[in-house]
């Protein structure tokens, strides 16, 4: 709802609300402040500081009652005591609401202190044998509390026009626990959750719309984050998907209002700072000249993360973003880009003009820059719907064909990826999943993939991947969709290949992060022992595996007990498609060529149905190397994931499969020679072909990237 901006309007609204609306609501609404649930129990009045609570409206200050009510909550050890506590709390909040209606200023901190730890109190009561009737009584008191808190917020915002962000956040943070308590009590008390969810949605609406300085990016982020806590806990506690639709719809609408507010306020701030307010329509001034004019970059990043967290928590429970909200998110992405882009522009681009064409060319020519911009200035749609270890464990627990050891390998080794076929966003009247978005994007004639099919493939019901097929071109490409994000339409559409081989597919304001995948990750993991039999790669000494996994970027990583590591990456495409069925653990591995500096040097994986796929050596510390190359050779390096060849300013390199551990005796040399990215370099002809090769030392990095890896110079 729009803010009431003028004192006269505020006065008229307040008088109307107080004299007419409030009495009417009190008459018809069973949850108004004077209502105490009829639970059939006789409650003893509790005397605190000479005042009787639980049987009469308190008349002492809320500060004194706050301490006493909190004490009652801490000491509550039986269901009756818990009901008594919530009756006291109900009295306290009702008294505060009445004072607010009378024009008194409300101390939000006191209210927040009063409702601390209520979720734990309800959980404890439930575990101590509270009956359904007990929980129903608690639910009624909590609904009354929620109603009055919502009323307090409305009155405060009307009388004061707006309140400080700190006050809003102070109240919202403990309301997360009260939301959880409300749903638990309603469900266990067999009460209708509709009213509870309505009140919670009302509070979220009030908070998103009512903060005085919410137009400041950091404050909007704080409010959305705190309101998101309420929504998330409500959603997590609701037992069925159908029951949470009310709060989701309300929150999506409220989120759109809040984001439109920040967009409008940010535009005004940009004007105030004498920054051009539209990259899209204005073409004046050099972007590099205004790098210092950017502001609140960290705040914008934090805001986008908070919006993503709130959005994905709802998508996790099958919510679908509507056209209006996704459009608002695209606008928010544009405002964020306006503020962060100047700081990322390479120094050699000093002539870049502030125009849509120049911006698109910059992001197209510098895919790593595009990646950084998308990582910050986007709303992630998929982080809340990942297939986790817990999901995989649940799927395979009854599979008698797998041994306990094989189940452990799969639980720890399969990647955490989003659900590819769940609807997440609307396009026109159609809800679309990740697979739908990919299919729709590939219809673009520029890709020359007309007639392609995109389908979700399940490997023995466990590992999902997306298979792109085009029979006329003989193409079959297994893919992982790492995530999908809402981005501004100023981000150039098309396929953008990052230097490390990942592809960003941008279409109609959605960016999908795509990597090659193994055709069958289950076969690959369970057949790892067969890979170790390649003596030209691992030698004759038997190596014992301590850990192995397929990452969401399509890499196959193995760590051995002696500290040595193996890093390989699957390329785009397969060949020799077979007709047989897959049988777990029957893949075979064959080394192609013996010269590690040869372009064709790779491992050929043959799956149980006869299909083959290339597994090329991969640079383990790719993220650290990219940081170095962005400084030394920005825009002048690429990686071919199919061959593993890394090209830097025309020179070609290829990594080894193995990463050796850094010995204790080598630490002194490493520490003396490492750079700010914790990388040290050693040069030598490691394969005897006359060319100088490199050995990259990396440390301080968790996982596969730590150690020493040879990078060969490729001569032909």
């Amino acid at each position: 709802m729009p803010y009431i901006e003028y004192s006269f309007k505020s006065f008229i609204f307040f008088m109307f609300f107080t004299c007419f609306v409030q009495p009417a609501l009190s008459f018809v609404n069973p949850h108004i402040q004077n209502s105490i649930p009829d639970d059939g129990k006789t409650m003893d009045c509790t005397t605190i500081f000479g005042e009787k609570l639980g049987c009469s409206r308190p008349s002492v200050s809320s500060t004194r009652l706050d301490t006493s009510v909190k004490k009652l909550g801490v000491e509550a050890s039986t269901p009756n005591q818990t009901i008594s506590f919530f009756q006291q709390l109900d009295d306290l909040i009702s008294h505060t609401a009445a004072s607010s209606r009378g024009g008194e200023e409300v101390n939000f901190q006191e209210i927040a202190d009063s409702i601390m730890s209520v979720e734990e109190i309800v959980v404890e009561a439930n575990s101590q044998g509270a009956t359904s009737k007990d929980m129903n009584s608690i639910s009624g008191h909590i609904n009354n509390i929620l109603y009055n808190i919502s009323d307090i917020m409305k009155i405060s915002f009307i009388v004061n026009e707006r309140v400080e962000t700190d006050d809003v956040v102070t109240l919202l943070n403990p309301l997360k626990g009260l939301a959880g308590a409300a749903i638990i009590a309603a469900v266990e008390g067999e009460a209708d959750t509709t009213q509870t969810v309505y009140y919670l949605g009302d509070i979220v609406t009030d908070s998103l719309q009512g903060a005085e300085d919410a137009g400041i990016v950091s404050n909007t982020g704080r409010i959305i984050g705190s309101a998101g806590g309420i929504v998330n806990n409500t959603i997590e506690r609701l037992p069925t998907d159908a029951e949470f639709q009310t709060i989701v719809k309300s929150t999506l609408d409220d989120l759109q209002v809040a984001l439109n507010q920040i967009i409008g306020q940010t535009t005004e701030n940009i004007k105030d700072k004498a920054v051009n307010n539209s990259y899209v329509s204005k073409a004046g001034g050099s972007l590099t000249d205004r790098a210092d004019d950017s502001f609140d970059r960290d705040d914008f990043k934090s805001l986008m993360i908070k919006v993503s967290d709130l959005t994905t928590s709802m998508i996790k429970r099958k919510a679908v973003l509507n056209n209006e909200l996704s459009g608002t998110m695209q606008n928010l992405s544009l405002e964020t880009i306006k503020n962060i882009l100047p700081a990322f522009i390479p120094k050699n681009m000093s002539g870049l003009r502030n125009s849509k064409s120049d911006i698109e060319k910059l992001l197209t020519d510098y895919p790593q820059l595009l990646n950084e911009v998308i990582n910050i200035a986007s709303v992630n749609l998929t982080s809340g719907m990942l297939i986790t270890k817990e999901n995989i464990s649940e799927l395979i627990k009854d599979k008698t064909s797998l041994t306990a050891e094989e189940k452990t390998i799969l639980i720890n080794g399969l990647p955490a990826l989003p659900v590819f076929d769940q609807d997440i966003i609307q396009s026109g009247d159609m809800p679309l999943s990740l697979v739908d978005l990919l299919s729709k994007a590939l219809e673009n004639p520029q890709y020359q993939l007309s007639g392609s099919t995109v389908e979700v493939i399940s490997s023995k019901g466990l590992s999902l991947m997306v298979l792109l097929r085009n029979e006329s071109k003989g193409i079959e490409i297994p893919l992982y969709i790492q995530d999908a994000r809402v981005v501004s339409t100023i981000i150039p559409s098309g396929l953008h290949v990052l230097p490390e081989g990942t592809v960003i597919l941008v279409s109609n304001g959605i960016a999908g992060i795509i990597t090659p995948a193994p055709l069958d990750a289950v076969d690959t993991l369970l057949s790892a022992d067969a890979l170790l039999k390649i003596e030209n790669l691992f030698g004759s000494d038997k190596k014992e595996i301590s850990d192995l996994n397929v990452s969401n970027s399509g890499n196959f990583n193995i760590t051995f007990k002696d500290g040595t590591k193996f890093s390989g990456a699957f390329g785009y495409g397969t060949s020799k498609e077979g007709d047989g069925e897959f049988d777990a653990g029957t893949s075979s591995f064959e080394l192609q060529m013996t010269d590690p500096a040869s372009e064709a040097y790779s491992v050929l994986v043959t799956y149980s149905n006869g299909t083959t796929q290339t597994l090329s050596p991969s640079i383990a510390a790719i993220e650290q190397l990219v940081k170095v190359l962005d400084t030394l050779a920005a825009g002048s390096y690429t990686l071919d994931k199919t061959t593993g060849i890394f090209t830097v300013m025309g020179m070609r390199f290829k990594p080894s499969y193995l990463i050796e551990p850094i010995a204790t005796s080598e630490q002194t040399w490493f520490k003396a020679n490492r750079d700010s990215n914790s990388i040290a370099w050693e040069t030598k002809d490691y394969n005897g072909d006359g060319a100088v090769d490199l050995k990259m030392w990396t440390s301080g990095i968790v996982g596969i990237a730590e150690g020493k890896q040879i990078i060969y110079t490729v001569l032909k």
Side-chain angles (χ1 to χ4, degrees):
M1 99 181 200
Y3 296 126
I4 300 172
E5 298 178 352
Y6 302 103
S7 58
F8 179 72
K9 287 184 180 180
S10 299
F11 174 75
I12 294 299
F13 190 91
F14 174 62
M15 293 302 295
F16 174 76
F17 187 91
T18 303
C19 298
F20 299 101
V21 178
Q22 190 62 51
L25 289 176
S26 299
F27 180 75
V28 300
N29 193 324
H31 295 296
I32 301 301
Q33 78 272 11
N34 293 320
S35 172
I36 300 295
D38 181 9
D39 49 31
K41 295 183 182 292
T42 300
M43 288 295 160
D44 292 332
C45 298
T46 303
T47 302
I48 301 174
F49 298 124
E51 290 290 330
K52 288 186 176 182
L53 302 180
C55 55
S56 64
R57 191 67 52 204
S59 59
V60 295
S61 74
S62 58
T63 304
R64 294 170 62 194
L65 284 175
D66 163 56
T67 304
S68 304
V69 171
K70 284 179 67 178
K71 186 172 185 291
L72 282 176
V74 171
E75 293 177 351
S77 58
T78 68
N80 275 357
Q81 288 173 324
T82 302
I83 294 171
S84 181
F85 159 70
F86 277 103
Q87 189 169 352
Q88 313 299 319
L89 185 57
D90 189 351
D91 280 348
L92 168 64
I93 302 301
S94 295
H95 171 73
T96 306
S99 299
S100 174
R101 295 182 196 104
E104 292 184 21
E105 187 174 347
V106 175
N107 188 321
F108 280 27
Q109 183 65 61
E110 289 178 7
I111 300 175
D113 289 344
S114 300
I115 59 177
M116 288 289 185
S117 305
V118 291
E119 186 170 18
E120 291 84 347
I121 294 170
V122 171
V123 170
E124 178 66 18
N126 195 39
S127 68
Q128 293 297 321
T131 65
S132 175
K133 191 174 182 180
D134 292 333
M135 298 301 280
N136 191 286
S137 175
I138 292 171
S139 173
H141 283 300
I142 294 178
N143 275 355
N144 202 34
I145 291 166
L146 289 172
Y147 169 82
N148 278 300
I149 288 176
S150 177
D151 210 20
I152 289 167
M153 294 177 75
K154 284 182 174 66
I155 296 296
S156 297
F157 297 157
I158 291 169
V159 173
N160 302 325
E161 294 192 358
R162 299 181 189 178
V163 297
E164 295 289 342
T165 295
D166 285 345
D167 289 336
V168 177
V169 173
T170 293
L171 185 56
L172 289 180
N173 287 338
L175 274 170
K176 173 184 176 182
L178 186 59
I183 300 301
I184 294 169
V187 172
E188 297 297 329
E190 299 178 3
D192 185 3
T193 59
T194 303
Q195 192 71 61
T196 304
V197 170
Y198 174 82
Y199 289 151
L200 288 168
D202 229 19
I203 289 170
V204 170
T205 298
D206 295 336
S207 62
L208 289 176
Q209 295 186 5
E212 179 182 10
D213 44 2
I216 300 172
V217 177
S218 59
N219 290 329
T220 304
R222 290 171 62 204
I223 293 171
I224 290 175
S226 297
I230 297 173
V231 176
N232 294 347
N233 210 22
T234 304
I235 289 172
E236 289 299 319
R237 293 292 188 182
L238 285 171
T240 65
D241 290 335
E243 287 184 289
F244 88 111
Q245 291 296 335
T246 300
I247 194 168
V248 165
K249 184 180 186 310
S250 170
T251 302
L252 291 176
D253 291 342
D254 300 337
L255 182 60
Q256 184 177 354
V257 171
L259 297 184
N260 278 327
Q261 178 184 336
I262 186 62
I263 291 167
Q265 187 61 47
T266 303
T267 302
E268 291 303 313
N269 288 346
I270 292 173
K271 289 178 181 176
D272 291 344
K273 288 173 178 270
V275 178
N276 293 319
N277 83 331
S278 175
Y279 283 156
V280 178
S281 61
K282 292 191 175 181
S286 170
L287 285 172
T288 45
D289 292 339
R290 43 177 299 267
D292 293 336
D293 289 333
S294 301
F295 66 100
D296 292 338
R297 281 187 290 273
D298 290 341
D299 291 338
F300 267 101
K301 183 175 182 180
S302 176
L303 172 65
M304 300 302 281
I305 290 172
K306 298 284 176 54
V307 174
S308 296
D309 289 345
L310 179 55
T311 304
T312 55
S313 71
M314 291 183 284
I315 289 175
K316 181 180 180 180
R317 292 289 294 270
K318 309 300 193 317
V320 176
L321 300 192
N322 59 40
N323 297 304
E324 292 77 14
L325 182 56
S326 59
T328 298
M329 289 177 172
Q330 289 174 5
N331 292 336
L332 180 63
S333 171
L334 176 60
E335 293 299 328
T336 305
I337 291 171
K338 290 177 183 180
N339 285 277
I340 67 170
L341 189 56
F344 288 105
I345 295 173
K347 294 179 180 178
N348 63 345
M349 297 287 288
S350 58
L352 185 69
R353 308 300 296 174
N354 184 13
S355 66
K356 186 176 187 292
S357 59
D358 275 13
I359 298 300
E360 289 183 341
K361 185 176 188 308
L362 172 70
L363 296 177
T364 302
D365 292 347
Y366 290 81
Q368 193 61 36
L369 170 62
L370 172 71
N371 186 42
E372 290 197 44
V373 168
I374 288 177
N375 280 339
I376 296 174
S378 64
V379 176
N380 192 311
L381 299 177
T382 57
S383 60
M385 48 186 275
L386 298 180
I387 300 173
T388 63
K389 289 183 179 182
E390 290 75 18
N391 300 136
I392 296 170
S393 179
E394 184 65 23
L395 286 169
I396 67 174
K397 68 179 183 181
D398 297 327
K399 288 193 174 291
T400 57
S401 60
L402 296 172
T403 67
E405 181 183 5
E406 288 172 335
K407 288 179 180 179
T408 300
I409 289 172
L410 296 179
I411 291 169
N412 293 325
L414 290 171
L417 291 161
V419 180
F420 299 132
D421 52 2
Q422 177 184 323
D423 291 336
I424 59 174
I425 195 167
Q426 230 176 350
S427 176
D429 296 329
M430 291 290 294
L432 301 178
S433 66
L434 291 178
V435 171
D436 297 331
L437 290 169
L438 179 59
S439 299
K440 196 174 180 66
L442 291 176
E443 292 172 0
N444 191 319
Q446 68 174 305
Y447 305 133
Q448 299 181 0
L449 289 173
S450 176
S452 296
T453 61
V454 181
E455 59 181 314
V456 178
I457 302 295
S458 173
S459 170
K460 288 167 274 304
L462 294 174
S463 178
L464 294 173
M465 58 90 178
V466 175
L467 194 62
L468 168 64
R469 282 197 180 105
N470 188 300
E471 292 186 5
S472 64
K473 294 183 179 295
I475 293 174
E476 183 181 76
I477 307 176
L479 299 170
Y480 284 154
I481 306 176
Q482 285 187 3
D483 65 37
R485 298 164 179 265
V486 178
V487 296
S488 166
T489 53
I490 200 173
I491 300 289
S493 295
L495 286 168
H496 306 276
V497 182
L498 300 184
E500 71 273 19
T502 299
V503 170
I504 300 177
L505 176 59
V506 181
S507 177
N508 297 317
I510 303 293
I513 315 300
I514 299 169
T515 65
L519 184 65
D520 192 326
V522 174
D523 266 9
T524 302
L525 288 166
L526 297 184
S527 303
D529 284 340
L531 175 65
L532 306 188
K533 295 177 181 178
I534 302 177
E535 291 193 7
N536 285 342
L537 190 56
F538 296 102
S540 56
D541 295 336
K542 180 174 176 57
K543 288 187 175 293
E544 295 185 62
I545 296 174
S546 66
D547 183 50
L548 72 163
N549 67 76
V550 173
S551 72
N552 63 359
S553 58
N555 279 29
F556 184 30
N557 304 313
I558 304 174
T559 300
F560 300 100
K561 289 185 178 179
D562 66 359
T564 305
K565 298 163 188 173
F566 170 90
S567 181
F570 288 94
Y572 288 102
T574 62
S575 60
K576 299 180 184 177
E577 182 179 355
D579 298 322
E581 295 294 324
F582 285 112
D583 295 314
T586 56
S587 295
S588 62
F589 301 86
E590 181 184 355
L591 188 66
Q592 307 292 299
M593 306 292 289
T594 56
D595 180 6
S598 167
E599 182 173 328
Y601 180 74
S602 62
V603 170
L604 187 69
V605 183
T606 302
Y607 297 101
S608 55
N609 71 342
T611 303
T612 62
Q613 191 174 14
T614 299
L615 180 66
S616 297
S618 173
I619 295 177
I622 184 66
E623 292 183 8
Q624 287 67 38
L625 182 59
V626 164
K627 287 180 181 178
V628 173
L629 293 174
D630 274 344
T631 302
L632 301 177
S636 301
Y637 64 97
T638 58
L639 170 63
D640 181 347
K641 293 205 86 167
T642 302
T643 63
I645 297 288
F646 208 92
T647 303
V648 183
M649 300 178 73
M651 297 180 290
R652 301 198 302 160
F653 303 91
K654 187 162 188 167
S656 61
Y657 280 107
L658 300 182
I659 301 98
E660 301 172 339
I662 299 174
T664 303
S665 59
E666 297 173 319
Q667 288 291 341
T668 301
W669 181 90
F670 173 69
K671 289 177 182 178
N673 290 276
R674 65 185 177 184
D675 61 17
S676 59
N677 293 300
S678 203
I679 297 177
W681 298 94
E682 189 179 359
T683 58
K684 182 179 176 181
D685 181 3
Y686 289 102
N687 62 332
D689 63 356
V692 176
D693 304 313
L694 306 170
K695 181 179 286 188
M696 184 168 64
W697 299 50
T698 54
S699 185
I701 308 159
V702 177
I704 196 75
E706 186 166 28
K708 303 177 294 184
Q709 184 174 19
I710 296 173
I711 301 177
Y712 298 100
T713 299
V714 177
L715 296 176
K716 55 183 179 179

